[in-house]
């Protein structure tokens, strides 16, 4: 995938339902977006949006249970979500809350615009509704009369509602899906959405009148009620960046480069969302990627399932960077994968501790011992690694931006493995002991390559493990440039004379028995 150069890279996550406690599944989408934004930012402007989805009956009910107004309840919960992202080293550019005036006024404007154009009209809604998922369901989709997603009771709703003319966009959606088979990944979700489109689409209700925690339907419509939370929420992706046709910032960011979602919300993001955008005269996002679930005993992790894992405790125990690595390395992006502390500990101890962390420690200790920690002067361009790994940065970058995170990490690990192998093969301790000029020259060339390899790894792995790679950067005696453009990476960029330091282990071992705890 090539990065567009004319505009900024724009990546979004879903906005999070505010109620309840965040879990590691919530951190997942946001960590992935952070990795993409950090990678894209090494070569140009990038913008990363996340936020909170604060309206709807579920929030109103939860606030009432706590004896609070919905607004006060949301204000209280937002910092918890923001601190979750901070705990995972996520650096977003903007955090939108759907209760902010910048969002609410624009949503009302969208409503007015679509009412004027006829894409929004008044009709009667009757059907089943799941409050927990804020989703309408056709009778035929219910499982034993219950919500097919979460298994909870559904309610029968009958009211006059405003409708969005989704049916009108079915043919265009089908054409779009056929003309851009890669716009929705992975293939399994694409196929699922195509099946829905082929079945046909009904218009869908975008207003509610049986409760009032939402964005009011504009008074000019002559009707009361609030805007349906999903219609409100989807619009965050454009309201946050200042939507209006002639807004320069909006134009420089839209359409989004990548919209990340969990697969259970694909219907909203790949059928309803493009249609709403088209109704507004805007383009569909370039790519929607629907990732898989973190599961426990084969079930989606989630608060309602009672199997949610506290993400704060987890980050404390393993280190946020190790978890970021685990989330990206454990399964191909798009597939489900099961969560267990043993698996995290295994990745931490093996890939990170033994392979990468040990490489750093061994290399810097040897440099300390054999050259006072000073990077030696060598003809680095003549190193066999100069040509062998010349393409590595480009390949890692391409895979990261193509959301093939596991492959990108495997690619980077080839350098880790090759460096470790050189220590084993060339036996620097023997070279040092021999002490003759040829052995010393070989020792210096090896020590240089080890440090240069570590410098490359710190840069290439920085988007995935921003904090641990920064620690390595400091151990290498470097100050700035860890997030510099990868196309400038040339074997030999590490300056001779740089004073390195042996620091603490990057990934101290975690005992499995302890991880059970
Ligand atoms: N509020 C809606 C999104 C509106 S976007 C216009 C919502 N919120 S959510 O809090 O329930 O989910 C937010 C994200 O977290 C989704 O992408 C969802 O897939 C992800 N995850 C929640 N549990 C998850 C797992 N167990 N595993 C992986 N991701 C999970 O949906």
């Amino acid at each position: 995938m090539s990065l567009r150069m004319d505009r900024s890279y724009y990546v979004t996550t879903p906005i999070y339902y505010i109620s309840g406690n965040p879990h590691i599944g919530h951190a997942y989408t946001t960590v992935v977006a952070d990795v993409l934004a950090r990678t894209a930012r090494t070569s140009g402007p990038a913008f990363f949006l996340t936020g909170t989805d604060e309206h709807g009956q579920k929030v109103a009910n939860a606030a009432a249970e706590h004896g609070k107004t919905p607004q006060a309840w949301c204000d209280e919960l937002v910092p918890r979500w923001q601190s979750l992202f901070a705990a995972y080293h996520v650096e977003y550019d903007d955090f939108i809350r759907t209760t902010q005036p910048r969002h609410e006024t624009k949503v009302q404007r969208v409503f007015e615009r679509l009412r004027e154009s006829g894409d929004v009209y008044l009709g009667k809604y009757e059907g089943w509704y799941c409050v927990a998922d804020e989703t309408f369901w056709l009778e035929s989709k219910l499982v034993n009369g219950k919500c097919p997603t979460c298994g909870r009771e559904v309610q029968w709703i009958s009211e006059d509602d405003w409708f969005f003319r989704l049916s009108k966009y079915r043919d265009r959606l089908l054409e779009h899906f056929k003309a851009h088979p890669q716009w929705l990944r992975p293939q399994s979700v694409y196929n699922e959405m195509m099946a829905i489109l082929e079945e046909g689409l009904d218009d869908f209700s975008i207003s509610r009148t049986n409760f009032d925690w939402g964005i009011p339907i504009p008074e000019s419509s002559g009707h009361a009620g609030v805007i349906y939370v999903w219609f409100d929420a989807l619009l965050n992706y454009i309201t946050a960046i200042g939507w209006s046709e002639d807004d320069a910032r909006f134009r420089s960011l839209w359409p989004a480069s990548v919209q990340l979602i969990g697969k259970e919300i694909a219907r909203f993001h790949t059928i309803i969302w493009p249609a709403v955008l088209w109704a507004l005269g805007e383009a569909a996002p370039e790519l929607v990627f629907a990732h898989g679930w973190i599961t426990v005993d084969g079930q989606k992790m989630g608060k309602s399932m009672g199997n949610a894992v506290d993400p704060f405790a987890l980050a404390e125990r393993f280190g946020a960077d190790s978890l970021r690595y685990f989330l990206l390395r454990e399964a191909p992006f798009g597939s489900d994968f099961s969560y267990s502390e043993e698996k995290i500990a295994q990745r931490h101890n093996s890939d990170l501790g033994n392979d990468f962390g040990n490489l750093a420690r061994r290399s810097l200790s040897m440099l300390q011992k054999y050259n006072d920690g000073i990077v030696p002067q060598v003809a680095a361009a003549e190193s066999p690694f100069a040509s062998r790994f010349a393409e590595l940065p480009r390949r890692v970058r391409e895979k990261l931006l193509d959301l093939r995170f596991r492959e990108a990490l495997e690619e980077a690990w080839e350098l880790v493995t090759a460096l470790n192998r050189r220590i084993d093969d060339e036996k620097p301790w023997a070279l040092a002991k021999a002490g003759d000029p040829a052995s010393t020259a070989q020792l210096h060339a090896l020590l240089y390559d080890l440090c240069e390899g570590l410098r490359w790894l710190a840069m290439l792995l920085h988007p995935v493990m921003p904090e641990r790679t920064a620690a390595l950067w400091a151990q290498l005696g470097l100050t700035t440039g860890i997030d510099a453009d990868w196309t400038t990476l040339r074997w030999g960029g590490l300056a001779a004379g740089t004073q390195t330091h042996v620091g603490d282990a990057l990934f101290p071992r975690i005992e499995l028995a302890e991880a059970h705890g």
Side-chain angles (χ1 to χ4, degrees):
M1 193 190 89
S2 66
L3 255 195
R4 54 192 199 190
M5 300 313 287
D6 53 332
R7 285 176 296 135
S8 174
Y9 183 85
Y10 180 29
V11 56
T12 66
T13 71
I15 48 173
Y16 295 86
Y17 284 135
I18 192 92
S19 300
N21 283 321
H23 59 75
I24 184 79
H26 295 125
Y28 183 44
T29 323
T30 314
V31 161
V32 169
D34 187 56
V35 171
L36 289 174
R38 285 176 187 270
T39 307
R41 230 178 258 132
T42 59
S43 71
F47 193 80
F48 162 19
L49 175 71
T50 190
T52 42
D53 189 355
E54 305 187 10
H55 292 125
Q57 200 173 345
K58 189 163 57 161
V59 174
N61 292 350
E65 273 166 33
H66 290 81
K68 309 230 157 102
T69 65
Q71 186 66 60
W73 171 242
C74 292
D75 291 348
E76 203 175 298
L77 290 175
V78 164
R80 193 152 22 144
W81 288 85
Q82 291 174 331
S83 63
L84 168 73
F85 301 144
Y88 279 79
H89 307 145
V90 166
E91 285 180 4
Y92 43 78
D93 294 287
D94 197 356
F95 189 99
I96 187 153
R97 298 183 52 184
T98 53
T99 50
Q100 288 168 334
R102 64 168 171 161
H103 176 72
E104 297 196 340
T105 52
K106 290 275 165 88
V107 170
Q108 289 183 322
R109 199 183 301 167
V110 168
F111 182 93
E112 302 265 24
R113 270 275 300 275
L114 299 187
R115 195 165 68 90
E116 279 159 23
S117 68
D119 275 325
V120 162
Y121 64 92
L122 198 61
K124 188 157 191 73
Y125 179 76
E126 283 199 319
W128 296 104
Y129 191 71
C130 171
V131 175
D133 291 330
E134 303 279 14
T135 305
F136 297 104
W137 291 107
L138 286 174
E139 177 114 21
S140 60
K141 294 279 186 276
L142 300 180
V143 176
N144 300 327
K146 299 201 170 136
C147 172
T149 308
C150 72
R152 272 178 279 217
E153 296 290 339
V154 286
Q155 298 179 1
W156 180 255
I157 287 180
S158 171
E159 57 186 34
D160 283 336
D161 278 343
W162 292 94
F163 281 78
F164 174 69
R165 216 175 281 285
L166 183 63
S167 56
K168 175 177 150 188
Y169 292 95
R170 183 208 172 214
D171 291 349
R172 183 159 172 194
L173 281 161
L174 272 170
E175 274 163 33
H176 187 75
F177 270 72
K178 285 180 186 150
H180 307 282
Q182 286 292 309
W183 97 282
L184 166 58
R185 289 166 56 195
Q187 187 70 38
S188 52
V189 180
Y190 176 94
N191 295 344
E192 209 183 304
M193 294 303 117
M194 273 300 269
I196 293 178
L197 286 174
E198 273 156 7
E199 245 179 53
L201 294 178
D202 292 327
D203 293 347
F204 89 104
S205 156
I206 61 161
S207 63
R208 322 289 308 119
T209 50
N210 60 339
F211 67 96
D212 62 4
W213 180 237
I215 301 177
I217 300 284
E219 276 175 22
S220 57
S221 73
H223 288 264
V226 293
I227 292 174
Y228 171 47
V229 62
W230 264 102
F231 191 75
D232 155 359
L234 284 167
L235 290 167
N236 90 87
Y237 303 125
I238 60 170
T239 62
I241 55 167
W243 166 74
S244 75
E245 294 85 345
D246 48 6
D247 184 274
R249 178 150 164 275
F250 175 71
R251 292 265 73 97
S252 75
L253 289 168
W254 196 259
S257 315
V258 187
Q259 297 211 256
L260 296 168
I261 57 168
K263 62 184 175 182
E264 76 285 6
I265 51 177
R267 191 166 60 103
F268 290 106
H269 283 85
T270 63
I271 294 181
I272 295 173
W273 180 224
V276 171
L277 285 162
W278 292 334
L280 290 170
E282 298 298 342
E286 287 171 3
L287 169 67
V288 176
F289 200 111
H291 64 67
W293 291 336
I294 303 179
T295 61
V296 178
D297 301 328
Q299 279 205 312
K300 178 176 182 242
M301 185 193 284
K303 191 178 149 246
S304 53
M305 304 295 177
N307 57 11
V309 177
D310 175 7
F312 294 98
L314 214 53
E316 191 101 327
R317 171 170 221 155
F318 293 98
D321 279 2
S322 291
L323 287 162
R324 288 170 65 109
Y325 175 83
F326 168 79
L327 292 173
L328 267 62
R329 178 64 184 74
E330 192 59 16
F333 193 55
S335 308
D336 289 355
F337 60 101
S338 67
Y339 164 91
S340 80
E341 292 205 350
E342 287 79 0
K343 286 185 183 178
I344 301 172
Q346 166 74 18
R347 289 269 170 223
H348 172 93
N349 287 333
S350 162
D351 304 11
L352 296 176
N354 291 347
D355 298 351
F356 181 38
N358 248 349
L359 169 69
R361 204 167 170 76
R362 287 210 286 174
S363 303
L364 292 172
S365 303
M366 287 189 293
L367 185 62
Q368 184 60 48
K369 189 162 169 196
Y370 304 133
N371 209 38
D372 297 326
I374 296 168
V375 175
Q377 177 86 50
V378 299
E382 286 164 25
S383 161
F385 279 22
S387 54
R388 179 166 167 198
F389 290 103
E391 288 296 304
L392 184 72
R394 189 188 57 73
R395 287 156 68 138
V396 172
R397 179 184 170 74
E398 211 169 81
K399 289 183 172 143
L400 285 175
L401 290 175
D402 198 34
L403 298 99
R404 289 184 287 150
F405 304 111
R406 180 188 206 163
E407 291 173 49
L409 289 167
E410 282 169 348
E411 189 87 45
W413 246 250
E414 283 184 19
L415 179 54
V416 173
T417 308
L419 291 166
N420 274 322
R421 185 158 307 141
R422 272 189 65 186
I423 300 180
D424 296 344
D425 291 349
E426 296 186 37
K427 300 183 181 47
W429 47 91
L431 295 171
K433 198 166 172 201
D436 58 283
S439 302
T440 306
Q442 192 188 340
L443 174 65
H444 283 178
L446 172 61
L447 291 173
Y448 184 91
D449 278 356
L450 291 171
C451 293
E452 178 64 340
L454 289 172
R455 185 180 76 95
W456 279 42
L457 287 166
M459 283 179 74
L460 301 180
L461 297 173
H462 185 62
V464 176
M465 296 182 281
E467 194 258 336
R468 294 288 74 202
T469 50
L472 173 58
W473 200 250
Q475 291 181 10
L476 286 166
L478 301 169
T479 47
T480 55
I482 194 168
D483 49 5
D485 190 341
W486 296 358
T487 58
T488 63
L489 268 176
R490 297 278 174 279
W491 201 266
L494 180 61
T498 304
Q499 177 69 61
T500 66
H501 316 273
V502 182
D504 292 339
L506 292 172
F507 303 98
R509 191 170 174 81
I510 293 171
E511 290 309 324
L512 280 173
E514 190 192 313
H516 279 294

